[in-house]
Amino acid sequence: MHRRQTDLPLAAAVLALTVGAGLAASAILKTGPKRPPDSAPGRTARRSGFGGYQVAGRTVTIAAPRSRIYEMWRKPDHLTDFMEGLAAVQVSGEDVTWVIDTPDGHLAVETRLVEDRENEALAWRSVEGAEIDIEAKVQLRDAPVGRGTEVEAHIAWRPRAGIVGQWAARLRGADPKMRGKQELKRLKMLLETGEIATSSNRKAD
Amino acid sequence: MRALTWHGKHDVRVDTVPDPQIVNPRDAIIEITATAICGSDLHLYDAVIPGLMPGDILGHEFMGRVVETGPKSTLKKGDRVVVPFTISCGACFFCQQQQFSACDNSNPVEKQEASELLYGHAMSGLFGYSHMTGGYPGGQAEYVRVPFSDVGPIVIPEGPSDEEVLFLSDILPTGWMAAENADIQPGDNVAVWGCGPVGLFAIQSALLMGAGQVIAIDHYPHRLDLARKLGAKVIDFKQTHVLEALMEMSGGIGPDAVIDAVGMESHGFSPDALMDALKQKVGIGADNVHALRMALMAVRKGGRVSIPGVYGGLADKFPIGALMEKGLQIRTGQTHVQRYSKELLHRILEGEIDTTFLISHRLSLEDAPTGYRNFHGKQDEWTKVVLKPGMAQGS
């Protein structure tokens, strides 16, 4: 009985010290000395905030000329051939509406082409009043000796449902980061081999 | 069709399943005439390789006749083909480098996630293996769908029997690449751990490449006998101190090159625990690396280490000090089968390589579960099992 009484405050003190040390450490890490910027793309930074935007991006090397990949994105009507998360694309001049499959149904995002450098870069930004605030960019560079083209795609968006919504989306397999990576791999498969690999033994019904 | 399917640890059955179809333009459908049970099928049988699902069709060593082709296949109906166990597109950077088992485009996108988490990158698709390598239905069946049929399958001329060419699908090129990875120089002392089919082919290949002496290490008398017949000296680790013997048999220097043809053995990790751990991004348990540890200790200073044996996870007590301080070189990997197909077919047709010596049993496809049980439980006599869908059950 006597022991228990003395142990309780001791445990509380240990707990307080541990938590306190953790908080202090995280405070030091957060406010640590400023480091000079490195060469890595900003989206790979350890920080999580990008001015209220979520950022996801990925680079793939595709054994195809820049012009061929540029053409595919410049006229995005056929992107649904390989992008499984894309239900439809409606193109009207510089305006493109992307109909994206989400676990909550279709999400139509109206965008406008805001950057177009032939065989180098394309970017779209959501228009005023669009359902989601988003910018998407595709950049093309020559890969080292004969490897084709480095395709870098990234999107920045303001999540609709905040941090809870993002985690919910991740749990339902709708994490834009993973989906974006997988779509780029499908593009690579289609351009390099003419088909998208499947281990299914039967055609989809 | 009938097919050998996996249902869990030590539970394989021959089931009736839907016939495969042409799905992609470069596909072909092959009617199987002969298929073998591989040592790595035993890793699946023991459930130590993660990512198998009940109902998966096993088998990655197979050959047969083309019965259907997609519009972009270069095969013709009736062609007789052996199919490499690695599925490779032939067009990506890795295939262009002849690193076919690293193909970027044959492992379905959604199946690559687990490998990226576990290994950093996803490897090529493989037939009849883990879903981490695509989960492609295998060839221990009456029919199989072969993707990228314009790249992998080797057309076999009429003449040689199925048994003479079947092992071009995996174990012959795997043994050959094991010897090539050991960078064998004329007169070399080479030690090979494991006298299973891959070890035996590695012995044969090392001798063809000019090794002066090959020392084979195992404990099954019959398997050691097969190694001896190929021209190897043998060490039975149940009766001899291996490290001491290897030093004495190599003039006190140690073998110039060592080949670990054993792999992770049966003391691995259970798939459920492994997949859980994988999801949590923490450690995934330890492969049994006993043979590799011995090989690293035995090899001479500045020597070469080749690892054709299959590993899947992490290694405990890995002698990293011996590796670095002795200045060793390691080469390993799933076999780049397509790199060796032509040359090895030529050597078979010329009579330089015999592949039939290790076949101990021939069974019908219906008797495949018996084959698994005995290849697993009676390793001394059951050295290699060939399954023939055309054969009558029980014969």
Side-chain angles (χ1 to χ4, degrees), chain B residues 178-211:
Chain B
E180 198 177 81
N181 277 347
D183 191 20
I184 291 167
Q185 306 295 313
D188 266 357
N189 277 313
V190 180
V192 179
W193 273 260
C195 295
V198 168
L200 291 169
F201 282 135
I203 291 167
Q204 215 176 355
S205 305
L207 288 168
L208 276 169
M209 291 176 191

mmCIF file of all heavy atoms in Angstrom, chain B residues 178-211:
data_model
loop_
_atom_site.group_PDB
_atom_site.id
_atom_site.type_symbol
_atom_site.label_atom_id
_atom_site.label_comp_id
_atom_site.label_asym_id
_atom_site.label_seq_id
_atom_site.Cartn_x
_atom_site.Cartn_y
_atom_site.Cartn_z
ATOM 1 N N ALA B 178 24.946 -17.912 -62.514
ATOM 2 C CA ALA B 178 25.646 -18.012 -61.225
ATOM 3 C C ALA B 178 27.144 -18.142 -61.453
ATOM 4 O O ALA B 178 27.947 -17.498 -60.775
ATOM 5 C CB ALA B 178 25.123 -19.210 -60.445
ATOM 6 N N ALA B 179 27.519 -18.960 -62.432
ATOM 7 C CA ALA B 179 28.944 -19.137 -62.728
ATOM 8 C C ALA B 179 29.513 -17.870 -63.372
ATOM 9 O O ALA B 179 30.620 -17.435 -63.055
ATOM 10 C CB ALA B 179 29.136 -20.343 -63.644
ATOM 11 N N GLU B 180 28.729 -17.268 -64.271
ATOM 12 C CA GLU B 180 29.182 -16.028 -64.919
ATOM 13 C C GLU B 180 29.386 -14.930 -63.866
ATOM 14 O O GLU B 180 30.361 -14.169 -63.919
ATOM 15 C CB GLU B 180 28.132 -15.588 -65.944
ATOM 16 C CG GLU B 180 28.650 -14.603 -66.961
ATOM 17 C CD GLU B 180 27.588 -14.256 -67.986
ATOM 18 O OE1 GLU B 180 26.726 -13.401 -67.703
ATOM 19 O OE2 GLU B 180 27.620 -14.841 -69.081
ATOM 20 N N ASN B 181 28.451 -14.848 -62.888
ATOM 21 C CA ASN B 181 28.567 -13.845 -61.826
ATOM 22 C C ASN B 181 29.777 -14.092 -60.929
ATOM 23 O O ASN B 181 30.231 -13.193 -60.233
ATOM 24 C CB ASN B 181 27.294 -13.828 -60.969
ATOM 25 C CG ASN B 181 26.198 -12.983 -61.595
ATOM 26 O OD1 ASN B 181 26.442 -12.231 -62.532
ATOM 27 N ND2 ASN B 181 24.989 -13.116 -61.078
ATOM 28 N N ALA B 182 30.289 -15.335 -60.929
ATOM 29 C CA ALA B 182 31.481 -15.641 -60.139
ATOM 30 C C ALA B 182 32.750 -15.287 -60.919
ATOM 31 O O ALA B 182 33.851 -15.467 -60.418
ATOM 32 C CB ALA B 182 31.493 -17.120 -59.763
ATOM 33 N N ASP B 183 32.578 -14.793 -62.152
ATOM 34 C CA ASP B 183 33.686 -14.302 -62.966
ATOM 35 C C ASP B 183 34.842 -15.307 -63.002
ATOM 36 O O ASP B 183 35.984 -14.979 -62.656
ATOM 37 C CB ASP B 183 34.153 -12.939 -62.414
ATOM 38 C CG ASP B 183 35.115 -12.236 -63.367
ATOM 39 O OD1 ASP B 183 35.115 -12.597 -64.560
ATOM 40 O OD2 ASP B 183 35.864 -11.347 -62.917
ATOM 41 N N ILE B 184 34.524 -16.519 -63.401
ATOM 42 C CA ILE B 184 35.491 -17.612 -63.302
ATOM 43 C C ILE B 184 36.668 -17.446 -64.272
ATOM 44 O O ILE B 184 36.475 -17.174 -65.460
ATOM 45 C CB ILE B 184 34.761 -18.949 -63.504
ATOM 46 C CG1 ILE B 184 33.879 -19.161 -62.276
ATOM 47 C CG2 ILE B 184 35.755 -20.109 -63.692
ATOM 48 C CD1 ILE B 184 32.881 -20.201 -62.365
ATOM 49 N N GLN B 185 37.859 -17.564 -63.734
ATOM 50 C CA GLN B 185 39.091 -17.469 -64.520
ATOM 51 C C GLN B 185 39.659 -18.882 -64.680
ATOM 52 O O GLN B 185 39.458 -19.731 -63.814
ATOM 53 C CB GLN B 185 40.111 -16.587 -63.802
ATOM 54 C CG GLN B 185 39.602 -15.205 -63.429
ATOM 55 C CD GLN B 185 39.272 -14.364 -64.654
ATOM 56 O OE1 GLN B 185 40.060 -14.292 -65.595
ATOM 57 N NE2 GLN B 185 38.085 -13.762 -64.653
ATOM 58 N N PRO B 186 40.393 -19.123 -65.761
ATOM 59 C CA PRO B 186 40.947 -20.468 -65.977
ATOM 60 C C PRO B 186 41.752 -20.933 -64.756
ATOM 61 O O PRO B 186 42.563 -20.176 -64.224
ATOM 62 C CB PRO B 186 41.863 -20.282 -67.197
ATOM 63 C CG PRO B 186 41.308 -19.089 -67.903
ATOM 64 C CD PRO B 186 40.715 -18.202 -66.855
ATOM 65 N N GLY B 187 41.476 -22.146 -64.325
ATOM 66 C CA GLY B 187 42.220 -22.723 -63.206
ATOM 67 C C GLY B 187 41.664 -22.399 -61.835
ATOM 68 O O GLY B 187 42.171 -22.899 -60.833
ATOM 69 N N ASP B 188 40.627 -21.562 -61.753
ATOM 70 C CA ASP B 188 40.073 -21.140 -60.464
ATOM 71 C C ASP B 188 39.613 -22.309 -59.595
ATOM 72 O O ASP B 188 39.134 -23.319 -60.105
ATOM 73 C CB ASP B 188 38.839 -20.247 -60.683
ATOM 74 C CG ASP B 188 39.191 -18.773 -60.687
ATOM 75 O OD1 ASP B 188 40.365 -18.441 -60.471
ATOM 76 O OD2 ASP B 188 38.277 -17.956 -60.935
ATOM 77 N N ASN B 189 39.766 -22.111 -58.293
ATOM 78 C CA ASN B 189 39.084 -22.963 -57.322
ATOM 79 C C ASN B 189 37.728 -22.343 -57.038
ATOM 80 O O ASN B 189 37.635 -21.178 -56.671
ATOM 81 C CB ASN B 189 39.873 -23.015 -56.015
ATOM 82 C CG ASN B 189 40.983 -24.037 -56.073
ATOM 83 O OD1 ASN B 189 40.750 -25.168 -56.499
ATOM 84 N ND2 ASN B 189 42.191 -23.645 -55.682
ATOM 85 N N VAL B 190 36.662 -23.133 -57.223
ATOM 86 C CA VAL B 190 35.307 -22.619 -57.036
ATOM 87 C C VAL B 190 34.580 -23.517 -56.043
ATOM 88 O O VAL B 190 34.631 -24.747 -56.165
ATOM 89 C CB VAL B 190 34.538 -22.603 -58.377
ATOM 90 C CG1 VAL B 190 33.124 -22.056 -58.188
ATOM 91 C CG2 VAL B 190 35.293 -21.790 -59.431
ATOM 92 N N ALA B 191 33.922 -22.911 -55.053
ATOM 93 C CA ALA B 191 33.108 -23.705 -54.113
ATOM 94 C C ALA B 191 31.636 -23.383 -54.334
ATOM 95 O O ALA B 191 31.265 -22.219 -54.477
ATOM 96 C CB ALA B 191 33.511 -23.389 -52.676
ATOM 97 N N VAL B 192 30.810 -24.426 -54.387
ATOM 98 C CA VAL B 192 29.375 -24.257 -54.620
ATOM 99 C C VAL B 192 28.605 -24.849 -53.440
ATOM 100 O O VAL B 192 28.730 -26.047 -53.166
ATOM 101 C CB VAL B 192 28.938 -24.955 -55.931
ATOM 102 C CG1 VAL B 192 27.434 -24.800 -56.146
ATOM 103 C CG2 VAL B 192 29.714 -24.406 -57.128
ATOM 104 N N TRP B 193 27.837 -24.015 -52.756
ATOM 105 C CA TRP B 193 26.968 -24.505 -51.669
ATOM 106 C C TRP B 193 25.616 -24.899 -52.259
ATOM 107 O O TRP B 193 24.958 -24.095 -52.909
ATOM 108 C CB TRP B 193 26.751 -23.418 -50.607
ATOM 109 C CG TRP B 193 27.800 -23.394 -49.550
ATOM 110 C CD1 TRP B 193 27.695 -23.918 -48.304
ATOM 111 C CD2 TRP B 193 29.112 -22.829 -49.645
ATOM 112 N NE1 TRP B 193 28.866 -23.714 -47.608
ATOM 113 C CE2 TRP B 193 29.741 -23.048 -48.392
ATOM 114 C CE3 TRP B 193 29.823 -22.148 -50.647
ATOM 115 C CZ2 TRP B 193 31.044 -22.613 -48.132
ATOM 116 C CZ3 TRP B 193 31.104 -21.722 -50.401
ATOM 117 C CH2 TRP B 193 31.710 -21.957 -49.148
ATOM 118 N N GLY B 194 25.202 -26.143 -52.031
ATOM 119 C CA GLY B 194 23.898 -26.606 -52.494
ATOM 120 C C GLY B 194 24.000 -27.366 -53.796
ATOM 121 O O GLY B 194 24.425 -26.810 -54.811
ATOM 122 N N CYS B 195 23.635 -28.655 -53.771
ATOM 123 C CA CYS B 195 23.663 -29.460 -54.989
ATOM 124 C C CYS B 195 22.241 -29.776 -55.453
ATOM 125 O O CYS B 195 21.929 -30.883 -55.884
ATOM 126 C CB CYS B 195 24.454 -30.741 -54.770
ATOM 127 S SG CYS B 195 26.184 -30.409 -54.444
ATOM 128 N N GLY B 196 21.379 -28.794 -55.337
ATOM 129 C CA GLY B 196 20.085 -28.865 -56.004
ATOM 130 C C GLY B 196 20.311 -28.591 -57.472
ATOM 131 O O GLY B 196 21.453 -28.424 -57.920
ATOM 132 N N PRO B 197 19.236 -28.548 -58.264
ATOM 133 C CA PRO B 197 19.391 -28.348 -59.706
ATOM 134 C C PRO B 197 20.228 -27.122 -60.081
ATOM 135 O O PRO B 197 21.081 -27.206 -60.961
ATOM 136 C CB PRO B 197 17.940 -28.218 -60.177
ATOM 137 C CG PRO B 197 17.170 -29.083 -59.209
ATOM 138 C CD PRO B 197 17.842 -28.883 -57.895
ATOM 139 N N VAL B 198 20.014 -25.987 -59.412
ATOM 140 C CA VAL B 198 20.783 -24.786 -59.767
ATOM 141 C C VAL B 198 22.264 -24.977 -59.432
ATOM 142 O O VAL B 198 23.153 -24.646 -60.229
ATOM 143 C CB VAL B 198 20.208 -23.531 -59.076
ATOM 144 C CG1 VAL B 198 21.163 -22.347 -59.204
ATOM 145 C CG2 VAL B 198 18.852 -23.180 -59.667
ATOM 146 N N GLY B 199 22.539 -25.549 -58.259
ATOM 147 C CA GLY B 199 23.926 -25.814 -57.883
ATOM 148 C C GLY B 199 24.592 -26.750 -58.877
ATOM 149 O O GLY B 199 25.739 -26.525 -59.294
ATOM 150 N N LEU B 200 23.865 -27.792 -59.278
ATOM 151 C CA LEU B 200 24.438 -28.761 -60.224
ATOM 152 C C LEU B 200 24.724 -28.101 -61.583
ATOM 153 O O LEU B 200 25.763 -28.352 -62.201
ATOM 154 C CB LEU B 200 23.495 -29.960 -60.392
ATOM 155 C CG LEU B 200 23.380 -30.858 -59.143
ATOM 156 C CD1 LEU B 200 22.233 -31.850 -59.286
ATOM 157 C CD2 LEU B 200 24.691 -31.599 -58.868
ATOM 158 N N PHE B 201 23.798 -27.248 -62.039
ATOM 159 C CA PHE B 201 24.065 -26.545 -63.305
ATOM 160 C C PHE B 201 25.192 -25.522 -63.147
ATOM 161 O O PHE B 201 25.936 -25.250 -64.090
ATOM 162 C CB PHE B 201 22.804 -25.873 -63.844
ATOM 163 C CG PHE B 201 21.870 -26.845 -64.526
ATOM 164 C CD1 PHE B 201 20.511 -26.819 -64.289
ATOM 165 C CD2 PHE B 201 22.358 -27.777 -65.427
ATOM 166 C CE1 PHE B 201 19.646 -27.706 -64.915
ATOM 167 C CE2 PHE B 201 21.509 -28.679 -66.068
ATOM 168 C CZ PHE B 201 20.148 -28.638 -65.809
ATOM 169 N N ALA B 202 25.313 -24.935 -61.962
ATOM 170 C CA ALA B 202 26.415 -23.986 -61.729
ATOM 171 C C ALA B 202 27.757 -24.720 -61.784
ATOM 172 O O ALA B 202 28.737 -24.196 -62.335
ATOM 173 C CB ALA B 202 26.233 -23.282 -60.383
ATOM 174 N N ILE B 203 27.775 -25.935 -61.242
ATOM 175 C CA ILE B 203 29.001 -26.751 -61.280
ATOM 176 C C ILE B 203 29.384 -27.032 -62.731
ATOM 177 O O ILE B 203 30.532 -26.825 -63.159
ATOM 178 C CB ILE B 203 28.782 -28.079 -60.526
ATOM 179 C CG1 ILE B 203 28.635 -27.808 -59.027
ATOM 180 C CG2 ILE B 203 29.917 -29.076 -60.818
ATOM 181 C CD1 ILE B 203 28.096 -29.006 -58.237
ATOM 182 N N GLN B 204 28.385 -27.503 -63.496
ATOM 183 C CA GLN B 204 28.618 -27.822 -64.909
ATOM 184 C C GLN B 204 29.106 -26.580 -65.667
ATOM 185 O O GLN B 204 30.061 -26.642 -66.455
ATOM 186 C CB GLN B 204 27.285 -28.300 -65.510
ATOM 187 C CG GLN B 204 27.435 -29.382 -66.555
ATOM 188 C CD GLN B 204 26.071 -29.887 -67.054
ATOM 189 O OE1 GLN B 204 25.017 -29.489 -66.558
ATOM 190 N NE2 GLN B 204 26.089 -30.752 -68.039
ATOM 191 N N SER B 205 28.474 -25.429 -65.400
ATOM 192 C CA SER B 205 28.829 -24.185 -66.097
ATOM 193 C C SER B 205 30.232 -23.730 -65.712
ATOM 194 O O SER B 205 31.019 -23.312 -66.567
ATOM 195 C CB SER B 205 27.817 -23.085 -65.759
ATOM 196 O OG SER B 205 26.504 -23.512 -66.047
ATOM 197 N N ALA B 206 30.557 -23.808 -64.406
ATOM 198 C CA ALA B 206 31.874 -23.354 -63.951
ATOM 199 C C ALA B 206 32.976 -24.177 -64.615
ATOM 200 O O ALA B 206 34.009 -23.634 -65.035
ATOM 201 C CB ALA B 206 31.964 -23.464 -62.428
ATOM 202 N N LEU B 207 32.748 -25.473 -64.734
ATOM 203 C CA LEU B 207 33.755 -26.322 -65.376
ATOM 204 C C LEU B 207 33.888 -25.967 -66.858
ATOM 205 O O LEU B 207 34.991 -25.888 -67.395
ATOM 206 C CB LEU B 207 33.394 -27.799 -65.186
ATOM 207 C CG LEU B 207 33.597 -28.305 -63.739
ATOM 208 C CD1 LEU B 207 32.944 -29.668 -63.535
ATOM 209 C CD2 LEU B 207 35.085 -28.362 -63.376
ATOM 210 N N LEU B 208 32.727 -25.716 -67.529
ATOM 211 C CA LEU B 208 32.777 -25.303 -68.940
ATOM 212 C C LEU B 208 33.516 -23.978 -69.108
ATOM 213 O O LEU B 208 34.137 -23.718 -70.124
ATOM 214 C CB LEU B 208 31.361 -25.158 -69.500
ATOM 215 C CG LEU B 208 30.700 -26.443 -70.012
ATOM 216 C CD1 LEU B 208 29.209 -26.199 -70.292
ATOM 217 C CD2 LEU B 208 31.391 -26.934 -71.285
ATOM 218 N N MET B 209 33.430 -23.102 -68.100
ATOM 219 C CA MET B 209 34.082 -21.791 -68.175
ATOM 220 C C MET B 209 35.558 -21.874 -67.789
ATOM 221 O O MET B 209 36.234 -20.840 -67.733
ATOM 222 C CB MET B 209 33.360 -20.783 -67.264
ATOM 223 C CG MET B 209 31.973 -20.408 -67.776
ATOM 224 S SD MET B 209 31.120 -19.306 -66.611
ATOM 225 C CE MET B 209 29.462 -19.311 -67.295
ATOM 226 N N GLY B 210 36.045 -23.059 -67.465
ATOM 227 C CA GLY B 210 37.487 -23.221 -67.263
ATOM 228 C C GLY B 210 37.947 -23.329 -65.831
ATOM 229 O O GLY B 210 39.155 -23.266 -65.564
ATOM 230 N N ALA B 211 37.016 -23.490 -64.878
ATOM 231 C CA ALA B 211 37.432 -23.656 -63.485
ATOM 232 C C ALA B 211 38.369 -24.869 -63.376
ATOM 233 O O ALA B 211 38.157 -25.894 -64.027
ATOM 234 C CB ALA B 211 36.213 -23.859 -62.593
#
